[in-house]
Amino acid sequence: MHNLFSACPCGIEHLRRTRRSTWMRLLSWLRLYRCDNCGKHQLHSEREIDMAKAKKDAQTRFAKNADPGFPRHF
């Protein structure tokens, strides 16, 4: 049996929600996620995952919009 409270190193982009067992519902603030990459099941708060995904999306958008050569002087 593996530890449901430890995260895998694959990253949040691979996590998908899945159904919890009855005993997991006692921890109502946690949701069960499964990593599509390695298959590990993990318990995380939904708010924590949503915030991490939003942060990652913002970083990606910022990196795409950033001009690495600014300011340019020709």
Side-chain angles (χ1 to χ4, degrees):
M1 189 165 150
H2 62 274
N3 184 355
L4 293 172
F5 297 101
S6 65
C8 68
C10 301
I12 61 168
E13 60 271 2
H14 299 285
L15 295 180
R16 303 288 178 257
R17 286 271 311 267
T18 188
R19 296 194 84 164
R20 295 180 288 178
S21 299
T22 304
W23 73 266
M24 292 178 191
R25 294 171 197 243
L26 294 171
L27 307 171
S28 61
W29 63 95
L30 296 176
R31 302 292 180 259
L32 183 64
Y33 293 87
R34 181 182 181 276
C35 177
D36 286 340
N37 194 37
C38 69
K40 183 181 184 315
H41 287 89
Q42 309 164 48
L43 286 170
H44 295 287
S45 75
E46 188 173 24
R47 183 178 180 201
E48 176 183 83
I49 296 297
D50 290 344
M51 287 174 47
K53 285 184 176 182
K55 182 178 177 182
K56 177 127 178 115
D57 289 344
Q59 288 173 341
T60 303
R61 272 189 248 119
F62 181 75
K64 286 181 182 177
N65 293 332
D67 184 3
F70 185 79
R72 292 185 183 152
H73 301 285
F74 293 101

